[in-house]
Amino acid sequence: MVEVAGLRHAFDGKPVLRGLDLQVGSGEIVVVMGSSGGGKTTLLRCLAGLLRPDDGEIAIDGTSVIREPEQARAKTGLVFQYAALFDYLNVAENILFGLRRRKRLSARQAKEIVDDQLGQVGLEGVADLMPDELSGGMRKRVGLARALCMEPKVLLYDEPTSGLDPVTAYSIDQLIVETRDRLGMTSVVVSHDVTSVMRVADRVAFLAEGEWLFNGTPAEFASVKEGAVAELIAKARAESLVR
Ligand SMILES: Nc1ncnc2c1ncn2[C@@H]1O[C@H](COP(=O)(O)OP(=O)(O)OP(=O)(O)O)[C@@H](O)[C@H]1O
Ligand SMILES: [Mg+2]
């Protein structure tokens, strides 16, 4: 569903992605972790068609992001860190923003879509609120609703639980899994939160200096004995996040 081969990118001559391969199967949730500056956001931007890599191939549901960026982008939903809602638009107009650029909607259609999408993300009765009237968790849900209403094949989440309290983070993790279970959504989640990773990932890929240091199941991830992954696991255990 997502296929990445030989992905390379450098900024100002400094290599950031050094020939990455990645396969994400249909309906699979892959969590990308990694050291700060390791290239996670750069990878996500390449997948979303927002940054053209120096070299390599990326296919989303069989469509090349490099050769057919418009078509590939139409199959990809991006849930931004901090939701990135437009402060001057209410929740309904935030959700409809992308869709309105693609097709004309009657008032009734618009209301139906908004109500349906808000239901899907577990929010009701907030269509007329402004973003600054929402909690952090609600904003993330609206960000997901906005991505879902474009009916993507693949969802990319950038740090979906960062800045949230543990209870809200838990509910967002559940929402990511529910969305996959309900829609069979292929998902790539960038996260630095080991607790979230253990809850949502079918597979974990750990990026360090532009290369995969690890790619395997959460159980295998938790039993890595050396290097940056082991340090991260040890730290999480010390904070009693994993046993
Ligand atoms: N637009 C850009 N121009 C120049 N350098 C960039 C640009 N974007 C990212 N970089 C550099 O590329 C490297 C990887 O950055 P990236 O944001 O992908 O890392 P990250 O893994 O997401 O890190 P973090 O965990 O801190 O978010 C960093 O050294 C960063 O400074
Ligand atoms: Mg980043």
Side-chain angles (χ1 to χ4, degrees), residues 82-103:
Y82 308 117
L85 303 179
F86 298 108
D87 288 334
Y88 58 92
L89 295 176
N90 68 13
V91 166
E93 289 309 317
N94 264 288
I95 290 173
L96 294 170
F97 188 82
L99 204 55
R100 281 201 193 284
R101 296 172 63 175
R102 199 189 279 178
K103 59 179 173 190

Side-chain angles (χ1 to χ4, degrees), residues 11-12 14 16 34-43 45 159 207:
F11 288 112
D12 312 320
K14 185 177 146 278
V16 172
S35 41
S36 188
K40 302 181 296 297
T41 298
T42 304
L43 169 64
R45 288 177 64 209
E159 304 263 3
L207 195 56

